[in-house]
């Protein structure tokens, strides 16, 4: 059986042998590889470019080079990974397995949350109050496992930029690449971690209602990571669209520089979900202020 799956912005073919193995195409280098069921993951050398191929003109000629090393598109990768990876999931697990849906909060939500010490300990207790936040921003970091990208860190902040949750998460599937350059998560970080995605979901369902506004950048990726269905969102990648339109998106790093004059995600230590969540909220707060200011000017002109 051949299943076409959207992975990493492009469609790849996943060949499924119902008895023994699944054949993937590596999301980084494009080389086919096999994952055998009920057997240890076999590592294979992966040579790839971690940067995007960007087009620009040189001496009047349109060329495409990678942002990571400035090499021409199609050249041999500048990075070497210990294994091939895939950022999707097994076809058998695709139909919303393990997903939860946010609901209207009840009057018992706070008391039931306080009865869960393990989950409640994920929160910054001094900041967590009886009232439910109306607006939250969050960001997730993911690492590659034998079944694709899985949640390894999540940060949730409130309207005032206070961190409500900053938790490391241990995936149930074995990790094959910590994706540290982008996730910021290392093997040492997860060494003693026992928190699972189900723990995160349990806490979030007591914190977030179906009416809570969730702010973030490319939120479809984060909601997939925590396996949550929520429709009340503000996505900065849509609020500040790319000049070429969909499917192109401005990176959060670009928006931070353009709109806030801030430098983020600088260096090889990886992204910070806390930093990214705060930047997403700051972008929207600045957007609201700018819109109010523009509206006030129009009103003043009309009165005159």
């Amino acid at each position: 059986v051949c299943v076409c799956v959207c992975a990493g912005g492009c469609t790849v073919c996943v060949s499924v042998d119902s008895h023994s193995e699944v054949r993937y195409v590596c999301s980084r280098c494009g080389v086919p590889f096999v994952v055998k069921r009920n057997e240890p993951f076999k590592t294979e050398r992966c040579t790839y470019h971690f940067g995007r191929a960007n087009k620009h003109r040189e001496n009047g000629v349109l060329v495409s080079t990678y942002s990571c090393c400035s090499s021409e598109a199609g050249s041999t990768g500048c990075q070497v990974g210990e294994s091939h990876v895939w950022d999707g999931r097994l076809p058998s697990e695709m139909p919303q397995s393990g997903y939860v849906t946010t609901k209207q909060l009840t009057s018992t939500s706070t008391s039931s949350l306080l009865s869960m010490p393990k989950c409640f300990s994920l929160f910054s207790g001094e900041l967590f109050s009886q009232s439910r936040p109306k607006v939250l921003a969050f960001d997730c970091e993911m690492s590659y496992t034998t079944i694709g990208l899985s949640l390894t860190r999540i940060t949730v902040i409130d309207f005032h930029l206070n961190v409500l949750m900053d938790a490391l998460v241990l995936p149930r599937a074995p990790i094959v690449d910590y994706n540290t350059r982008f996730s910021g998560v290392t093997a040492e970080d997860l060494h003693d971690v026992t928190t699972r995605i189900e723990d995160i979901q349990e806490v979030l369902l007591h914190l977030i209602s179906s009416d809570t506004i969730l702010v973030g950048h490319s939120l479809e990726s984060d909601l997939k990571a925590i396996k949550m269905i929520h429709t009340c969102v503000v996505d900065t990648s849509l609020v500040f669209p790319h000049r070429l339109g969909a499917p192109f998106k401005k990176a959060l790093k670009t928006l931070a520089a353009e709109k806030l004059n801030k430098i983020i995600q600088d260096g090889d230590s990886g992204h910070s979900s806390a930093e990214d969540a705060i930047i997403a909220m700051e972008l929207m707060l600045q957007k609201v202020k700018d819109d109010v200011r523009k509206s006030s000017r129009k009103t003043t002109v009309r009165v005159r």
Side-chain angles (χ1 to χ4, degrees), residues 28 48 81-83 85 142-145 175-180:
R28 297 192 296 202
Y48 65 98
E82 295 182 358
S83 65
V85 296
M142 286 82 80
S143 299
Y144 289 106
T145 70
I175 295 176
V176 298
D177 192 313
Y178 286 87
N179 197 30
T180 303

Side-chain angles (χ1 to χ4, degrees), residues 160-181:
H160 303 288
L161 308 183
N162 295 315
V163 177
L164 298 183
M165 173 196 285
D166 190 8
L168 291 166
V169 185
L170 182 65
R172 292 199 175 277
I175 295 176
V176 298
D177 192 313
Y178 286 87
N179 197 30
T180 303
R181 180 181 293 276

Side-chain angles (χ1 to χ4, degrees), residues 122 152-155 165-169 195 200:
L122 296 174
T152 45
R153 184 184 176 188
I154 178 173
T155 304
M165 173 196 285
D166 190 8
L168 291 166
V169 185
T195 302
I200 300 298

Side-chain angles (χ1 to χ4, degrees), residues 74 76 78 93-94 122 134 156 168 199 217 253 273 295 300:
T76 302
C78 61
E93 296 178 325
M94 286 176 188
L122 296 174
K134 302 298 183 183
V156 181
L168 291 166
D199 300 321
H217 189 79
K253 180 177 183 177
S273 55
S295 179
T300 302

Side-chain angles (χ1 to χ4, degrees), residues 39-274:
E39 291 186 19
F41 185 82
K42 183 180 178 181
T43 59
E44 297 180 9
R45 183 186 178 94
C46 175
T47 304
Y48 65 98
H49 290 283
F50 66 86
R52 296 180 179 180
N54 299 319
K55 293 182 179 180
H56 60 280
R57 291 190 178 276
E58 289 185 4
N59 300 322
V61 179
L62 189 65
V63 297
S64 182
T65 57
Y66 292 108
S67 60
C68 50
C69 62
S70 299
S71 298
E72 291 187 5
S75 63
T76 302
C78 61
Q79 299 291 310
V80 178
E82 295 182 358
S83 65
H84 295 304
V85 296
W86 184 57
D87 49 11
R89 297 188 66 84
L90 290 173
S92 61
E93 296 178 325
M94 286 176 188
Q96 298 184 357
S97 173
Y99 274 70
V100 296
T101 304
T102 53
K103 298 181 175 64
Q104 288 288 339
L105 289 173
T106 65
S107 58
T108 60
S109 295
T110 300
S111 60
S112 59
L113 177 60
L114 293 175
S115 68
M116 298 185 298
K118 179 181 178 182
C119 295
F120 183 73
S121 65
L122 296 174
F123 283 98
S124 300
E126 295 180 0
L127 299 174
F128 187 76
S129 64
Q130 299 293 320
S131 61
R132 302 290 98 179
K134 302 298 183 183
V135 182
L136 293 171
F138 83 107
D139 185 75
C140 297
E141 304 297 349
M142 286 82 80
S143 299
Y144 289 106
T145 70
T146 55
I147 60 171
L149 280 173
S150 295
L151 177 70
T152 45
R153 184 184 176 188
I154 178 173
T155 304
V156 181
I157 68 165
D158 66 11
F159 184 79
H160 303 288
L161 308 183
N162 295 315
V163 177
L164 298 183
M165 173 196 285
D166 190 8
L168 291 166
V169 185
L170 182 65
R172 292 199 175 277
I175 295 176
V176 298
D177 192 313
Y178 286 87
N179 197 30
T180 303
R181 180 181 293 276
F182 297 103
S183 70
V185 177
T186 65
E188 291 75 18
D189 291 333
L190 297 181
H191 180 66
D192 295 320
V193 173
T194 58
T195 302
R196 300 288 193 176
I197 187 173
E198 292 83 4
D199 300 321
I200 300 298
Q201 289 175 329
E202 190 173 7
V203 175
L204 291 179
L205 286 177
H206 285 78
L207 178 67
I208 300 171
S209 76
S210 56
D211 296 324
T212 303
I213 300 173
L214 289 184
V215 178
H217 189 79
S218 293
L219 278 171
E220 74 281 1
S221 299
D222 298 293
L223 289 171
K224 285 179 182 178
I226 60 175
K227 306 186 80 171
M228 177 175 286
I229 299 172
H230 185 79
T231 58
C232 190
V233 300
V234 175
D235 195 322
T236 53
S237 70
L238 300 178
V239 175
F240 305 98
H242 194 283
R243 63 182 179 83
L244 297 179
F248 300 99
K249 294 182 179 181
K250 283 191 174 183
L252 185 63
K253 180 177 183 177
T254 301
L255 291 176
E258 290 180 352
K259 306 296 182 181
L260 304 174
N261 293 317
K262 291 186 176 182
I263 298 175
I264 64 169
Q265 302 172 359
D266 190 33
D268 298 330
S269 59
H271 297 188
S272 164
S273 55

